Amino acid sequence: MKSIHVSATVNGDAVEFICAPDESLLDVLRNRLGLTGAKEGCGTGDCGACSVTLDGRLVCSCLVLGAEAEGATVGTIEGIADGDTLHPLQQSFIDHAALQCGICTPGILVAAKSLLEKNPNPTDTEVRYWLAGNLCRCTGYDKIIYAVQDAAKKMRSA
Amino acid sequence: MRFARPETAHEAAALIAKETGLIRILSGGTDVMVQLKAGLVEPALIVDIKRIPGLRKITPEAGGFRIGAAVSGAELGEHAEVRALWPGVVEGAELIGSTQVQGRATMAGNLCNGSPAADAVPGLVAANAVARIMGPNGERDCPIADIPAGPGKTTLAKGEFLTSIFLPARPARSGDAYLRFIPRTEMDIAVAAAAVSLTLNDAGVISAARVALGAVAPTVRLVPAAADTIIGSKLDEAALAALSAACSAACNPIDDKRGTIEFRTQVVGVLAKRAALIAYSRAGEKK
Ligand SMILES: Cc1cc2nc3c(=O)[nH]c(=O)nc-3n(C[C@H](O)[C@H](O)[C@H](O)COP(=O)(O)OP(=O)(O)OC[C@H]3O[C@@H](n4cnc5c(N)ncnc54)[C@H](O)[C@@H]3O)c2cc1C
Ligand code: FES
Ligand code: FES
């Protein structure tokens, strides 16, 4: 298989990588760029643990080819905090104990951030539907909803 | 496997025409990537069509809209004018997968993947939407209803691919709706589904209708006999009962863990009734 050279912007930084034509963006992020925040829960679009933004749109990075990132802008969990200052969503997940094992958390944070950018004041139902593609085996979801809503409130008054 | 990202539809057609191995067109990739991962397909060439100009655009045309083949569900759902004209088509497309899947999945991919349970297809068939197809011999137009050929199969000839889907203009006092049954509220495959598109005259009588069913036959199916039961009516009880019976009669479903033949046959009639009532009220009449 002929390798492909790709230039993209990841979390604001210009990056270049070489990947195989059938390699997913998730594998590129994790294995070639050292960004291991996005997780592989299923590899088939069902769990959302690999969520990233691609040109501003929330996607499963396991369903995107690395080669498709040519010229694109990718946002991952690693780009969410501002230096040492956690994003309000990250802080809220800690405050509300909205995680246990933490495997689902990076994907849920990326997905929740994308929701609040589109809709800063969602209802609980809207949060639940938006996050329906993010599975969590540990928390039972309620605390995740509380944490997102509390962060949304703080972000609205910030 | 090789990856190509042609800049024009002609370049794509030429690439495809000269390839001797297996080809997969890549739109949103939400089916293709899963099939690659599972080893179900081993294409020699992947052709990503998303960079072809116009394929990610929605353009008004002749009172309707031309939807580029690579427009995602999320992009379609954000288009207020398409939603206003064809709400049933948009709601079908928006039922596909999660927010993340919506960010990528296209109606063209949904159609060409060939699933009898494809959520965007019944609405498109009921809308009498038309696919624009590029191929080795140039461009042609084909009604969406004529594209599905069986599970995983389409009538597209070798080397052909969709560049857009055209949603036509519609008369005033028209409405459409799509409903599916799934065992939960999100992230599941339709067990049975129905789309209804209709137009009313000034007296509130249905003057034209199209009914399409999903997941109850080897392909999404247009059922003219079901439409005939409601044309000329105001959706009174008798018309609704006849609609339901005609839909059930048109079924040829499978029995699987997700639904029995009996269940699918009965539920599709109920869904058609409810979709007809929603379409009727969207067309401007209270019920
Ligand atoms: C987690 C998850 C949930 C899902 N839920 C649903 C659901 O609820 N309902 C549902 O109907 N589907 C569902 N799907 C299936 C899938 O998302 C849809 O079928 C989607 O619409 C496919 O579109 P795509 O653009 O991603 O297609 P792709 O994966 O890019 O392509 C699908 C097929 O069509 C072909 N193709 C694509 N574009 C063209 C074109 N322009 N011309 C010719 N051939 C083309 C491809 O070669 C491939 O064979 C789900 C998938 C996942 C991963
Ligand atoms: S790893 Fe991508 S959705 Fe599960
Ligand atoms: S915290 Fe363990 S899967 Fe969500």
Side-chain angles (χ1 to χ4, degrees):
Chain A
M1 261 195 261
K2 197 166 163 281
S3 289
I4 299 174
H5 177 264
V6 177
S7 312
T9 304
V10 178
N11 299 329
D13 297 329
V15 301
E16 302 205 8
F17 56 85
I18 304 276
C19 69
D22 62 351
E23 194 169 329
S24 72
L25 176 61
L26 175 61
D27 285 343
V28 166
L29 291 170
R30 292 182 57 83
N31 303 335
R32 299 195 186 264
L33 301 178
L35 297 171
T36 54
K39 306 292 184 233
E40 182 175 66
C42 63
T44 52
D46 295 291
C47 76
C50 63
S51 297
V52 301
T53 57
L54 182 68
D55 290 331
R57 199 57 88 178
L58 184 68
V59 302
C60 293
S61 59
C62 72
L63 296 183
V64 178
L65 287 172
E68 287 181 79
E70 170 63 42
T73 301
V74 179
T76 74
I77 184 66
E78 285 87 351
I80 283 191
D82 180 9
D84 286 341
T85 312
L86 293 182
H87 187 277
L89 275 162
Q90 292 174 307
Q91 189 58 51
S92 187
F93 270 58
I94 297 171
D95 296 344
H96 289 269
L99 65 151
Q100 289 176 34
C101 79
I103 282 279
C104 68
T105 314
I108 291 185
L109 288 169
V110 170
K113 178 168 177 271
S114 136
L115 167 65
L116 298 185
E117 279 162 7
K118 201 176 146 90
N119 178 2
N121 193 7
T123 63
D124 285 2
T125 304
E126 285 168 339
V127 178
R128 284 182 192 275
Y129 271 96
W130 185 271
L131 296 177
N134 290 88
L135 303 185
C136 174
R137 297 292 301 270
C138 306
T139 63
Y141 300 103
D142 277 355
K143 290 182 173 184
I144 291 172
I145 310 302
Y146 303 148
V148 172
Q149 289 292 33
D150 196 29
K153 204 168 127 202
K154 292 194 170 115
M155 287 164 70
R156 284 197 301 276
S157 57
Chain B
M1 191 183 111
R2 284 164 296 119
F3 175 84
R5 188 176 240 185
E7 302 281 339
T8 67
H10 286 281
E11 189 192 326
L15 265 174
I16 293 169
K18 73 169 199 268
E19 176 62 46
T20 50
L22 185 65
I23 297 170
R24 270 289 177 280
I25 303 284
L26 184 72
S27 287
T30 60
D31 283 312
V32 168
M33 289 295 286
V34 174
Q35 291 159 6
L36 284 182
K37 176 103 182 170
L40 288 175
V41 288
E42 282 180 36
L45 179 67
I46 294 261
V47 182
D48 181 0
I49 58 172
K50 290 190 287 295
R51 291 286 160 104
I52 298 174
L55 260 68
R56 298 192 70 171
K57 286 216 176 79
I58 298 176
T59 326
E61 182 180 318
F65 290 96
R66 185 163 295 284
I67 318 289
V71 169
S72 70
E75 287 162 343
L76 184 70
E78 286 163 9
H79 200 289
E81 290 92 351
V82 178
R83 186 186 281 284
L85 191 66
W86 289 103
V89 171
V90 174
E91 75 195 347
E94 283 190 317
L95 280 171
I96 298 169
S98 57
T99 318
Q100 287 86 339
V101 171
Q102 280 289 307
R104 304 271 292 167
T106 65
M107 295 198 292
N110 196 231
L111 173 72
C112 295
N113 190 53
S115 165
D119 280 311
V121 180
L124 288 170
V125 169
N128 207 3
V130 177
R132 179 151 295 168
I133 298 167
M134 183 74 185
N137 306 316
E139 227 169 40
R140 69 180 177 102
D141 283 350
C142 172
I144 299 288
D146 294 343
I147 292 182
K153 293 202 181 73
T154 69
T155 56
L156 294 181
K158 193 173 177 298
E160 285 191 323
F161 64 97
L162 267 67
T163 53
S164 66
I165 291 175
F166 180 63
L167 285 169
R170 58 197 317 199
R173 291 169 70 73
S174 296
D176 65 327
Y178 172 75
L179 288 175
R180 68 173 181 179
F181 175 84
I182 57 172
R184 40 193 222 149
T185 54
E186 268 284 89
M187 298 287 282
D188 212 334
I189 301 164
V191 176
V196 177
S197 173
L198 48 76
T199 299
L200 309 179
N201 68 15
D202 290 338
V205 173
I206 296 173
S207 54
R210 285 170 70 92
V211 177
L213 306 180
V216 290
T219 63
V220 169
R221 198 167 260 189
L222 179 69
V223 189
D228 290 344
T229 63
I230 56 172
I231 294 172
S233 84
K234 290 185 168 186
L235 279 191
D236 50 90
E237 283 302 322
L240 285 170
L243 169 66
S244 176
C247 289
S248 295
C251 288
N252 176 21
I254 55 164
D255 230 337
D256 70 6
K257 62 177 180 196
R258 314 186 58 262
T260 60
I261 290 173
E262 293 76 9
F263 182 79
R264 289 174 198 260
T265 306
Q266 188 186 341
V267 166
V268 83
V270 177
L271 292 171
K273 277 203 279 193
R274 292 181 186 168
L277 287 166
I278 297 169
Y280 193 76
S281 71
R282 285 178 178 165
E285 286 290 327
K286 287 239 153 34
K287 198 72 205 174

